[in-house]
Amino acid sequence: MLQNTLRHKIKKRSIMLLVYPCLVFFWLVSLGPELALSNFHKQIQIALTMVFGSFIAGGTALGGGAVAFPVMTKVLAIEPATAKVFSLGIQSFGMVAATLTILFFKIRFYHRVVFNALTGAIPGVIVSLLWLGDLLPRLAVKSLFSVLLVLFAITLIKQLRVGIQSHIHECSTDYRAIPLVGFIGGLASGLVGSGADIFIFAYLVLILKKDIKVATATSVIIMAVTSVVGTFTNIALLHTLTPDIQLMVHAAIPVVIIGAPLGALVCAKLPERGVVNMLLTLIALETGFTTYECVRLYL
């Protein structure tokens, strides 16, 4: 009986692993192998950015936009509006792949939280994209992203102080505020390409005292759906997914459909303290860049 169960699990996982080569094959034929590889080489900076970004997206409560947005706006000098559209677009592939991995490998997540959060996050990202995107100046959008990362860092630091362990006692099941938190996160996601995952994660860990690993998987699923809705809005209503951005997304697809699931699997097994230290370093660097830019602007 035990051997049959083990064989069944191995068979299921083998089938899952076959999905990724198939996706890469469809990626090649979608533009044609020559054009796909040429575009990949031309967009190599974006693809390399998403090597790290996709791993972070799949394994932590920071979406791929947490890496893509600051690198694109601060290092590659790409406009925040373009970076936002790209972030939502590429997360629609990477974080969905991570979500499928979470579901297939039965990684724990909070089912009720996902449903309740999406009732707020979905309208939030649509409202943000349709009406708020053009109201904030360029630097304000960048600064908002840094504020989100600082919020995330505070959550992690507080957990470090009490000792990050998977056995944190879950002392609350009051989910009444989750739709509102999801809505605020959706608004942020429409402005900077990420946020629903960060707000939900912070609320689950800081307020409801939930298990940090389960909260992470929950936030990945929420951001995956929010990204798909945001990308559909960009395509169908705003027409902001331009041919140039489409080529950027296409170049990063083979990276994120492997990197994000890998991040989900690895970070589910690794000790949390090492992952946290890596994230805090990333946040410190990004916040430092934004502070420098603000000081340089006003001096």
Side-chain angles (χ1 to χ4, degrees):
M1 183 69 178
L2 182 60
Q3 284 185 336
N4 290 336
T5 302
L6 184 60
R7 286 176 185 171
H8 182 65
K9 286 183 178 180
I10 293 174
K11 185 178 180 180
K12 285 179 65 178
R13 294 184 179 186
S14 299
I15 294 173
M16 183 67 181
L17 290 176
L18 289 175
V19 170
Y20 301 119
C22 291
L23 290 174
V24 173
F25 172 78
F26 285 118
W27 170 80
L28 281 171
V29 300
S30 62
L31 287 180
E34 186 175 346
L35 183 56
L37 293 174
S38 173
N39 178 60
F40 183 84
H41 182 265
K42 189 179 297 183
Q43 306 286 353
I44 191 64
Q45 290 178 310
I46 299 296
L48 290 176
T49 297
M50 293 315 300
V51 170
F52 186 56
S54 60
F55 187 88
I56 293 295
T60 74
L62 287 177
V67 175
F69 190 87
V71 170
M72 293 176 74
T73 57
K74 296 176 174 64
V75 179
L76 303 180
I78 294 173
E79 284 296 314
T82 299
K84 172 191 67 177
V85 175
F86 170 82
S87 295
L88 288 173
I90 199 59
Q91 286 172 172
S92 298
F93 290 92
M95 298 192 80
V96 167
T99 296
L100 293 176
T101 302
I102 289 170
L103 296 175
F104 197 86
F105 285 88
K106 296 183 179 180
I107 297 173
R108 283 186 62 209
F109 66 94
Y110 298 115
H111 297 73
R112 283 182 57 198
V113 172
V114 169
F115 175 78
N116 290 340
L118 288 176
T119 61
I122 289 175
V125 71
I126 295 173
V127 167
S128 182
L129 287 170
L130 293 180
W131 292 291
L132 297 184
D134 297 328
L135 297 181
L136 294 179
R138 180 173 177 269
L139 185 59
V141 173
K142 287 185 178 182
S143 300
L144 173 62
F145 189 82
S146 295
V147 170
L148 288 178
L149 290 185
V150 169
L151 172 65
F152 187 76
I154 291 172
T155 305
L156 296 177
I157 291 170
K158 184 167 182 179
Q159 286 305 117
L160 279 175
R161 290 180 60 186
V162 300
I164 295 183
Q165 297 294 337
S166 297
H167 59 260
I168 296 173
H169 295 296
E170 300 179 10
C171 62
S172 177
T173 55
D174 186 359
Y175 295 153
R176 287 176 296 180
I178 291 289
L180 176 60
V181 177
F183 181 76
I184 296 171
L187 293 178
S189 298
L191 291 172
V192 297
S194 186
D197 46 356
I198 296 173
F199 276 97
I200 290 296
F201 178 83
Y203 187 80
L204 288 175
V205 174
L206 289 181
I207 307 301
L208 300 185
K209 309 299 181 184
K210 294 294 187 178
D211 184 307
I212 192 169
K213 285 192 174 184
V214 185
T216 296
T218 304
S219 69
V220 168
I221 297 172
I222 291 167
M223 195 64 230
V225 178
T226 303
S227 297
V228 170
V229 173
T231 298
F232 179 79
T233 303
N234 282 328
I235 294 172
L237 301 178
L238 297 175
H239 310 291
T240 50
L241 196 68
T242 64
D244 288 341
I245 299 177
Q246 290 178 36
L247 289 175
M248 292 164 60
V249 171
H250 191 275
I253 285 175
V255 174
V256 302
I257 62 175
I258 295 174
L262 185 63
L265 290 174
V266 171
C267 291
K269 302 294 184 183
L270 284 179
E272 293 164 339
R273 187 173 292 273
V275 177
V276 168
N277 289 335
M278 176 181 64
L279 290 174
L280 290 176
T281 301
L282 174 67
I283 292 169
L285 290 172
E286 199 284 330
T287 306
F289 272 121
T290 300
T291 303
Y292 171 76
E293 189 171 359
C294 292
V295 171
R296 188 180 63 176
L297 179 66
Y298 290 107
L299 286 182

